[in-house]
Amino acid sequence: MPISRADAEALDADDPLATFRERFVVTDPDLIYLDGNSLGRLPASTPARIAEVVAGEWGERLIRSWNEGWLDAPARVGDLIGTLVGAAPGQVVVADSTTVNLYKLAGAALAAAAPRRHVIVTDRGNFPTDRYVFGGLGEVRLVETVADVASALGPDTALVSLSHVDYRTGEIADMAAVNEAAHAAGARVLWDLSHSAGAIPVDLDATGTDLAVGCTYKYLNGGPGAPAYLYVRSELQGSLVPPIRGWFGQRDQFAMGPEFDPVDGVGRFLSGTPHVVGLACVEEGARVIADAGMAALRAKSTRQTGMLIELADAWLSDLGFTVASPRDTARRGSHVALRHADGRRISRALGELAGVIVDFRRPDVIRFGVTPAYTRHVEVWDALDRLRELVATGAHETLPPPTDRVT
Ligand SMILES: *Cc1c(COP(=O)(O)O)cnc(C)c1O
């Protein structure tokens, strides 16, 4: 017998993070939102903060606001995110998009490598933007799985870059082991934390990570298109020069000097004028996660993803579903992937007919993201119950073929 609904309710009654749900905007209590791994919910404090940034800081203080907090925001919010990913202050800044940050850090690592080191090693399943960016920078060596990375390293390798949590399956890569193998081969390592920061504990400093990037609109709840962050280990900051040489990375920015002379710290990787409104959104979102604490979030997340797998095994295996995420808790991030041949129609029908928002990744993966700061146990239970009902009755087969671009 799998867990009962009453058991799920009891877990919510005992949940030390239960009150954190109130720190998010929930307009429809019947809608089960399991897509925080793509776009996190709106923090309750964000609208007022944005109103203040726009009406107060911009509308009233005008350009004086640059000296009253705006200029410091990329480093201030970066340090806050640093507390979530095991980075001591002075190593993280918020800027640009994840895609642009990948370009800046991988480009800098390639430029600093010895001439014979020109290859970037990554895996075939890595997120597309990562693979595309690397392809535009140099020679890419694609390995089939993360486990094959170590054997693909050689004297020609400049950089290894992987996603810490696989965006399809939710599998966690062994950060410390990959760092060690890469360093032994004389290469640098760049991690994409887009599905890890705010979702699972990350220890960039302790694992000897060189470089990292990540987005803020998934588990950090920074909002659509909010600026991303980047990490450069302190010892490397002086020796890496960004391929985008912007005036916000300049030592004496307002001297308007003739040549690029980067600041000593991670700030050299800021390019142009920061996105002030987006930064305020990121600060609100990251603060909620910092207040909840990664240990408590992780404990709840693994309980919820474990429950989801238990229910899928009990209810869905006879309906054509298979679990594509690791069953080993230690290797599983904060979303669970289920495969089904009719996955695209099912995921859409879940949203349109059953009030459960999930997402779909081709060819057959439906992702169920749990965001422990606001997802309740009973929502996970109800989501799987509604899914079972939907597919058992064939209700999803009544929908016309999907045409949405975002799935
Ligand atoms: C979401 C995500 C991105 C997004 O990059 P953008 O530049 O924000 O579009 C990049 N990498 C990974 C692994 C992601 O999950």
Side-chain angles (χ1 to χ4, degrees), residues 37 97-100 102 126-127 129-130 163 165 167 192-195 215 217-218 226 228:
N37 52 317
S97 65
T98 306
T99 302
V100 172
L102 283 164
N126 199 357
F127 196 81
T129 211
D130 301 56
S163 289
V165 172
Y167 77 99
D192 188 330
L193 306 179
S194 292
H195 279 88
C215 79
Y217 47 79
K218 293 169 181 158

Side-chain angles (χ1 to χ4, degrees), residues 49-313:
R49 172 78 190 277
I50 297 317
E52 170 56 23
V53 170
V54 173
E57 296 174 17
W58 177 18
E60 288 173 32
R61 297 303 296 161
L62 291 162
I63 201 163
R64 293 168 288 187
S65 287
W66 281 113
N67 288 322
E68 294 168 0
W70 289 356
L71 274 179
D72 301 330
R76 183 181 71 239
V77 183
D79 283 346
L80 174 62
I81 292 174
T83 65
L84 304 174
V85 295
Q91 299 177 104
V92 179
V93 285
V94 176
D96 303 314
S97 65
T98 306
T99 302
V100 172
N101 288 339
L102 283 164
Y103 180 84
K104 291 189 293 189
L105 295 192
L110 279 181
R116 68 196 160 97
R117 293 189 179 273
H118 58 278
V119 172
I120 303 176
V121 174
T122 188
D123 68 301
R124 200 175 288 285
N126 199 357
F127 196 81
T129 211
D130 301 56
R131 291 182 280 107
Y132 304 158
V133 165
F134 302 150
L137 279 168
E139 183 181 333
V140 178
R141 181 173 302 141
L142 287 179
V143 296
E144 286 307 315
T145 71
V146 170
D148 303 324
V149 164
S151 57
L153 306 176
D156 61 357
T157 311
L159 183 69
V160 177
S161 186
L162 299 172
S163 289
H164 185 214
V165 172
D166 184 289
Y167 77 99
R168 280 206 187 86
T169 64
E171 179 160 2
I172 302 174
D174 188 338
M175 185 177 271
V178 171
N179 288 347
E180 200 180 314
H183 291 159
R188 297 282 178 218
V189 192
L190 165 58
W191 288 97
D192 188 330
L193 306 179
S194 292
H195 279 88
S196 351
I200 66 169
V202 180
D203 217 337
L204 294 176
D205 289 348
T207 54
T209 292
D210 298 315
L211 308 163
V213 298
C215 79
T216 58
Y217 47 79
K218 293 169 181 158
Y219 295 97
L220 295 178
N221 311 304
Y229 56 91
L230 63 86
Y231 164 92
V232 180
R233 180 155 58 89
S234 46
E235 302 91 88
L236 294 178
Q237 291 169 5
S239 59
L240 295 180
V241 181
I244 298 176
R245 302 175 175 200
W247 71 317
F248 269 74
Q250 181 77 346
R251 189 183 301 278
D252 187 358
Q253 182 181 3
F254 290 94
M256 308 287 188
E259 303 291 342
F260 183 59
D261 175 21
V263 292
D264 291 328
V266 67
R268 63 176 53 193
F269 282 92
L270 296 173
S271 51
T273 304
H275 192 309
V276 170
V277 178
L279 270 157
C281 288
V282 176
E283 191 163 31
E284 294 305 313
R287 191 181 296 124
V288 182
I289 298 303
D291 288 350
M294 282 316 305
L297 289 166
R298 175 64 174 162
K300 183 173 172 187
S301 161
T302 52
R303 197 158 58 236
Q304 292 185 321
T305 55
M307 186 176 133
L308 207 154
I309 290 174
E310 181 190 341
L311 293 172
D313 283 341

